[in-house]
Amino acid sequence: MYNNIRTPYYLMDENLIIKNLEILKSVSDRTGARILLAQKAFSMYSLYPLIGRYLSGTTASSLNEARLGHEEMPGRETHIFAPAYKEDDFKEIAKICDHIIFNSFSQWKKYAPFAKGAECGIRINPEYSEIETEIYNPCARGSRMGVTLSAFEGEDLSGISGLHFHTMCEQNSDTLWRTVLEVEKKFGRYLTRMKWLNFGGGHHITRSDYDLETLIRSIEYMRDKYDLQIYLEPGEAVALNAGFLVTEVLDIVKNDIETAILDTSAACHMPDVLEMPYRPPLSGSERPGEKKYTYRLAGPTCLAGDIIGDYSFDNPLKPGDRLVFEDMAIYTTVKNNTFNGINLPGIVLRRRDGAVETMRSFGYSDFKSRL
Ligand SMILES: *Cc1c(COP(=O)(O)O)cnc(C)c1O
């Protein structure tokens, strides 16, 4: 793809993002729920003016993310949640965030005097989640994420105007519906005193099999029963299936199996492949053995486990071939790194009208400046 652009590069597609944004906006339009971009999944701020036309604002996990949302999506809401805030950061957080969510009553008590201009909320832990990957499960035993009911009871709620839960990951709305009932069972008596409730992220709203009606029912249920403004803060759903990672084959090596060494790395450029772990979709390929030629695709780093996965093709691979990984807009540019001195992929945007523009390219100074 685009043989004149140096690989590796991420290709973000504006039309595919707009398709997602239209679905999200239809949910807001039908329910009055406000939807925020969770920047930790996707922070391509050159698109924030576009995103801000469809969504109500951004949410952040740190002062830096909050600043980015505040600066690049001006006039929209800026929310923040962090497991704990640093004193040095908090003054500025209070200045730029209109919603500040605390992870404990001790943090709330410490910062309440400085947070007067903001809507303040508490993240609750409903101790209910259907996430099976432990590192993504905020309701795992002993989790530091959110206040459990037993720690919540007896606390003074004056000054707290909302609650927040985030217990989902890449899930459909049937999970949300069960979660909402669980939240109500445990925290319902506190909801009557709140103005807003944030359903967090992890809603795969823009996936083709997502059940929008159950999402809408869940929002309306809480909205109407407790008279709440509902917020959602999806990350993935905003840029799901809206980006690609284009790479070139550098060499083919044999040792029982054939491995194609690429100029992109799982460890550096798609860390969730190793962390989650998962096998990213690749255009024109099938599972190993399904097509005639099977290869293991691996990165150029010294990490033995820098393996993307096994794939099969109609034709043999050779050095210089370009391969296109799919669904590479989310949790990539925000997480990538220069381990081994491997260059960061460029960031290229395909505009609505098909024009292709290189937004960023990276080199030695990006590697050196962090060391
Ligand atoms: C990660 C996270 C999100 C976004 O999650 P997605 O799975 O990308 O939708 C939203 N809110 C909080 C508090 C998060 O930690």
Side-chain angles (χ1 to χ4, degrees):
M1 207 190 294
Y2 305 117
N3 283 327
N4 54 329
I5 302 174
R6 193 183 130 93
T7 57
Y9 65 89
Y10 301 103
L11 176 69
M12 309 297 188
D13 188 302
E14 204 173 16
N15 281 316
L16 296 174
I17 298 217
I18 289 171
K19 207 174 111 193
N20 289 342
L21 291 170
E22 280 175 348
I23 295 171
L24 295 170
K25 184 165 185 303
S26 74
V27 172
S28 302
D29 289 346
R30 281 182 62 185
T31 61
R34 294 190 190 152
I35 303 186
L36 311 167
L37 164 69
Q39 296 176 91
K40 83 166 196 264
F42 183 73
S43 300
M44 188 171 172
Y45 57 86
S46 53
L47 292 178
Y48 282 15
L50 171 76
I51 295 171
R53 287 204 289 278
Y54 291 83
L55 304 187
S56 295
T58 57
T59 188
S61 319
S62 61
L63 171 58
N64 285 340
E65 280 188 357
R67 265 188 74 175
L68 190 68
H70 179 72
E71 286 173 12
E72 301 295 334
M73 215 184 278
R76 307 305 256 162
E77 295 181 33
T78 304
H79 295 221
I80 191 169
F81 162 80
Y85 297 107
K86 280 170 72 68
E87 267 177 44
D88 290 351
D89 292 348
F90 199 84
K91 256 199 184 132
E92 199 173 348
I93 287 173
K95 232 186 277 167
I96 62 181
C97 294
D98 25 67
H99 281 63
I100 303 175
I101 294 150
F102 295 92
N103 191 50
S104 68
F105 281 95
S106 51
Q107 282 264 302
W108 156 241
K109 282 169 201 152
K110 173 170 179 173
Y111 290 116
F114 309 101
K116 291 246 181 322
E119 297 277 340
C120 291
I122 294 283
R123 176 167 172 169
I124 54 172
N125 176 351
E127 298 173 84
Y128 179 84
S129 125
E130 301 179 9
I131 299 172
E132 274 151 25
T133 312
E134 272 303 89
I135 101 163
Y136 292 111
N137 184 4
C139 300
R141 269 196 66 195
S143 170
R144 72 187 185 292
M145 298 300 187
V147 181
T148 57
L149 183 61
S150 63
F152 198 95
E153 281 168 330
E155 290 286 353
D156 177 9
L157 293 179
S158 47
I160 296 293
S161 59
L163 299 181
H164 172 284
F165 67 86
H166 171 72
T167 58
M168 291 172 49
C169 181
E170 301 187 335
Q171 278 156 321
N172 212 318
S173 47
D174 57 323
T175 300
L176 174 64
W177 176 247
R178 291 187 286 273
T179 303
V180 157
L181 294 181
E182 204 64 32
V183 166
E184 176 179 41
K185 199 165 83 192
K186 296 201 168 87
F187 291 91
R189 68 198 130 110
Y190 301 109
L191 288 175
T192 51
R193 297 152 65 177
M194 297 296 149
K195 278 165 48 185
W196 51 273
L197 175 63
N198 188 322
F199 285 4
H203 315 276
H204 244 190
I205 300 170
T206 51
R207 198 172 72 196
S208 58
D209 69 342
Y210 188 84
D211 172 11
L212 281 174
E213 297 311 312
T214 301
L215 168 66
I216 284 164
R217 179 160 62 105
S218 306
I219 295 169
E220 289 173 342
Y221 179 76
M222 283 303 210
R223 180 195 71 188
D224 296 342
K225 185 155 177 188
Y226 296 96
D227 192 19
L228 293 166
Q229 170 65 53
I230 303 298
Y231 284 94
L232 298 172
E233 45 182 31
E236 289 213 10
V238 175
L240 191 67
N241 291 315
F244 306 87
L245 175 53
V246 184
T247 179
E248 198 170 276
V249 176
L250 299 177
D251 195 17
I252 311 284
V253 295
K254 280 190 195 154
N255 174 12
D256 289 337
I257 59 167
E258 289 198 276
T259 297
I261 301 175
L262 309 179
D263 65 0
T264 193
S265 155
C268 301
H269 305 152
M270 41 182 121
D272 276 358
V273 164
L274 301 182
E275 192 175 293
M276 188 87 177
Y278 81 104
R279 179 181 181 278
L282 178 72
S283 308
S285 76
E286 294 292 345
R287 304 206 138 264
E290 287 183 12
K291 289 180 181 259
K292 195 163 173 202
Y293 301 96
T294 292
Y295 296 87
R296 174 160 297 170
L297 303 183
T301 68
C302 298
L303 173 70
D306 190 355
I307 292 165
I308 299 153
D310 295 355
Y311 297 79
S312 66
F313 303 86
D314 286 327
N315 296 302
L317 293 182
K318 56 181 189 313
D321 285 352
R322 287 192 166 203
L323 301 177
V324 179
F325 289 100
E326 297 170 355
D327 196 19
M328 281 290 160
I330 47 177
Y331 293 105
T332 49
T333 52
V334 289
K335 274 186 112 171
N336 61 16
N337 64 77
T338 57
F339 175 56
N340 268 217
I342 303 295
N343 221 9
L344 296 172
I347 303 176
V348 176
L349 180 61
R350 182 155 58 204
R351 295 268 185 205
R352 239 165 300 189
D353 60 3
V356 170
E357 195 179 331
T358 297
M359 312 301 287
R360 290 295 309 269
S361 41
F362 300 95
Y364 176 61
S365 59
D366 299 291
F367 163 65
K368 189 178 179 188
S369 67
R370 300 176 54 210
L371 301 172

